[in-house]
Amino acid sequence: RSAESWWKSASTTIFPSIKDNEHKDPEWHAMVMATLRSHFVQDVDDREACMRAFDAHNEHVRRTAPAERLVVWQAGDGWEPLCSALKIAVPEAPFPKANSTEEFLARRAERAAAESKSSSS
């Protein structure tokens, strides 16, 4: 996946959820933010820095993973490359497609509505 595609998704789904501390757990939030800052990027709003970090991580994996174990794969590639690497049969079932940006945002809106309803009761 391109850094641009990843940024478009992460900046509208994961990052806002983290910043808003939707889990309402200060310890979880502090841990996630510390992990992001120490292993990824200081500011999740910095598009260019995040995309550089994404590309650097992927390059690090490509450079350090044993070649015989590395599978460069994108969800659109389906079952075949994964099953080939694992030396297993390709399932009959279609490759699952879930957790799109739209699905993520719909779940986020449902949680917010439920929380709003419970706090106003």
Side-chain angles (χ1 to χ4, degrees):
R1 159 179 223 178
S2 73
E4 182 66 43
S5 169
W6 169 82
W7 167 257
K8 184 178 177 188
S9 175
S11 67
T12 58
T13 58
I14 299 166
F15 293 162
S17 294
I18 292 168
K19 289 188 300 187
D20 294 346
N21 190 14
E22 289 182 355
H23 295 281
K24 306 298 183 222
D25 180 340
E27 290 178 11
W28 176 88
H29 186 258
M31 181 271 306
V32 169
M33 293 307 292
T35 300
L36 280 171
R37 288 182 182 122
S38 66
H39 297 292
F40 190 67
V41 68
Q42 291 294 308
D43 180 5
V44 295
D45 291 318
D46 186 336
R47 177 182 176 274
E48 297 304 318
C50 286
M51 290 194 317
R52 280 192 307 274
F54 176 85
D55 284 336
H57 169 75
N58 287 337
E59 181 53 37
H60 172 77
V61 170
R62 287 184 186 101
R63 193 177 60 253
T64 60
E68 69 277 5
R69 294 189 44 114
L70 179 65
V71 178
V72 177
W73 175 87
Q74 295 183 36
D77 295 342
W79 291 117
E80 288 77 13
L82 296 174
C83 293
S84 176
L86 295 169
K87 297 176 180 30
I88 61 173
V90 174
E92 295 285 329
F95 192 82
K97 181 178 182 340
N99 204 30
S100 68
T101 297
E102 293 77 19
E103 291 167 326
F104 187 100
L105 295 176
R107 284 191 308 274
R108 194 170 181 223
E110 287 171 12
R111 279 192 305 270
E115 186 176 292
S116 175
K117 185 177 179 181
S118 70
S119 67
S120 64
S121 300

